[in-house]
Amino acid sequence: MNAHDTAVFGATALSEREIEKLSLPTSLAEGLPGRTYYDPSFYELERKHVFAAGWTGIGFASDVPNVGDVVPVSVADYELILVRAKSGEVKCYHNICRHRGMKLVKGKGNVKTIRCSYHCWTYGLEGNLLATPSIAGVNESQAEGFDLSQLSLVEVRIGQYLDVIFANIDGKAKSLDEFLKPVRERLEPIYDFTILKPTPDGTGRGSRDFAVNWKIVVEGGIEDYHLPFVHKAFDHSKDYSSEIGGSVYSGFSSRRSLVDAQKRYATKVADGNELPFFPSMVETGIAQTVILFVFPATIITCTPNYMSLSLQLPRGPELTHYTSKTYFIGDSATSDAFAKLREENTIYWKQVLDEDDGPWRQVQAMARNREEIGLPSRFSPHWEVALHNFQKTVAEKTSSVS
Ligand code: FES
Ligand SMILES: [Fe+2]
């Protein structure tokens, strides 16, 4: 924040009045003020009290399938490494050398050890410091009284649900199982996740940066209101409900006939081939979609024929890295016979995000003007109850701190 910003926009955290207005019923409530979308000091509150304090989805276990696979992850300016350790477990460390603080892993790869490129300190996959070459002179790799066992990489607390690796960076949150209980109770009676698989050919994968605050990406997906106005392929869902799971999730669900669902989710192609439905859809004849935005920024999209997991990883107040993976049912994930359908589905979702990018950028650009003239945003009481709940959760987490 520069001096001008401070003078014009004043305090960072939400004021009591702003919280009061946000807490009104959805049709009357006023949304988060403009500065919360760009102000570095509000972002700082979010880094600590939202991203480090909660359970944040940071990566996919299937991206590190083999022992020695490493992938660097940057989330809210925390630099982390995901590693498949020798035990077969996924581990997460801060991506910082214990010597002088060099960033250790710069790209995805498969390694036997993690070696710092600066002075060559070398760590095992379990994070233990193995070697400090020439630390005590030329070819003298052991210094007296220098205890390697005290200098392991700093481990980050993680857990896994579905394919998502969740991290609790400050190590103080309640257990992941407890946190995700309402999510599992909502989804698992409807969707049999055991029959899903990732694709072997890179279809169903999307990764890109959006030059907007992370909340704009989340808010852009959490309502169906904009669909027919922004997306060529979509219409409004007639049978639509908000999904509210307190501070754990916000989202929405919709129901359609099986035929309508095939159109909506691009799961049938011209040659007549079609993606299989979850068995519960065929039994009931009702195609259900449930999309839960697990706070802060992990989206579990369950459609009648597949599931997508997407993570919105902040990289500063006005940049968000989006990454997602889609998992299809049984053979439809792996067989060549479904390759075209998987590809079309991937293109379809890419196009949807292309269409979202323009409005999101404009909303981001207007945030400063909105703050300057004190213009609050508002909510549709039909479509945006979940969006409202999401914003209330942001407010709760960032203002319950001194
Ligand atoms: S900073 Fe890593 S070995 Fe020196
Ligand atoms: Fe959209």
Side-chain angles (χ1 to χ4, degrees), residues 97-102 104 116-123:
C97 180
R98 294 297 306 268
H99 177 217
R100 294 255 299 285
M102 177 80 173
L104 287 166
C116 181
S117 60
Y118 202 175
H119 310 90
C120 228
W121 285 23
T122 304
Y123 304 84

Side-chain angles (χ1 to χ4, degrees), residues 220 226 231 352 356:
H226 71 288
H231 299 299
V352 168
D356 282 320

